[in-house]
Every structure is written in C-alpha cells, then in structure tokens.
Amino acid sequence: MLRIRGTVGDLPVDLTIELDDGDWARLGAQLQATPVASAAAAPAAPVKHNDDLWQNAQDLLRTAGQLSGLELLDQLEGLAGDASAGKRLLVRLRHSANVKVSSGGDTPLYTWIEPL
C-alpha cells in the first residue's frame, strides 16, 4: 500500500494506492527498464543551443534592419523549430537594448539599433 497525503492548492489530498505483489514486480521492472540520464551532463548542451539560438535571432533582425512583428515571429518560429520557442525569442528581443519596438498599425515594428 502506498499513501500520499498533502494538498493541491487549497484542497486536501489523501490518496491510498493498493498494489499486490504482481503490481509491485511490474512497477519495479518498469523502473529498471527506464534509463535515467545523468543530471550533471544534461544542462551543458541546452545552454549552448540557447546561446546559439539567441545569437541567431539577433543576427536575423540585425540583418533585416526592421521587420513587422508577424514576419519576425514567423522567422523566429522557423529558426527555433516550434511556436513557443519562437515566441520566447520574440519577447526576449522586445526587451533587448538593441531593439526598438514601435507601432506599425496592425502589428508592431521591430527595428535593430546598433549600440553606440
């Protein structure tokens, strides 16, 4: 028997899970079959990838000079590989000191500003 007690938000939780010997054996076999990656090795690659991605996003706007928000988002999504990563890059560019965001009618205009 496995008992879990705590809260989810303001709601109290008291959950009891009953497993027989066969269930425990299958659970143990499943846990042994699933390899666990080293926690120390995992963060090194994504950090480099994120740095490269950020540099490429800046280069994209720097090269274009100025893009509408929709065009920039579309290109960032392609660069990043998915919509959520593209949106994160767009927000990061919006808050960058080298980017000026101005009203362009229906969509904002993102303009690259060279540092002095």
Side-chain angles (χ1 to χ4, degrees):
M1 180 170 76
L2 179 66
R3 187 170 186 181
I4 302 169
R5 287 188 283 184
T7 60
V8 175
D10 293 333
L11 300 173
V13 174
D14 190 357
L15 177 65
T16 303
I17 301 173
E18 293 185 25
L19 301 172
D20 62 18
D21 291 337
D23 294 330
W24 281 111
R26 282 193 300 275
L27 180 61
Q30 189 71 12
L31 291 175
Q32 290 176 355
T34 306
V36 178
S38 170
V47 170
K48 178 67 173 151
H49 175 71
N50 287 341
D51 289 346
D52 290 344
L53 195 56
W54 173 237
Q55 186 62 47
N56 291 340
Q58 292 179 90
D59 291 344
L60 182 114
L61 186 56
R62 182 183 302 119
T63 302
Q66 184 178 55
L67 288 170
S68 75
L70 294 176
E71 291 173 314
L72 182 57
L73 179 59
D74 187 45
Q75 291 188 28
L76 291 173
E77 287 176 356
L79 182 68
D82 67 26
S84 62
K87 288 177 186 177
R88 284 191 299 271
L89 286 171
L90 185 69
V91 169
R92 193 169 174 188
L93 279 170
R94 178 178 298 176
H95 296 287
S96 171
N98 295 335
V99 176
K100 178 183 176 193
V101 181
S102 57
S103 177
D106 292 340
T107 182
L109 293 175
Y110 289 76
T111 306
W112 183 263
I113 301 171
E114 288 297 329
L116 297 174

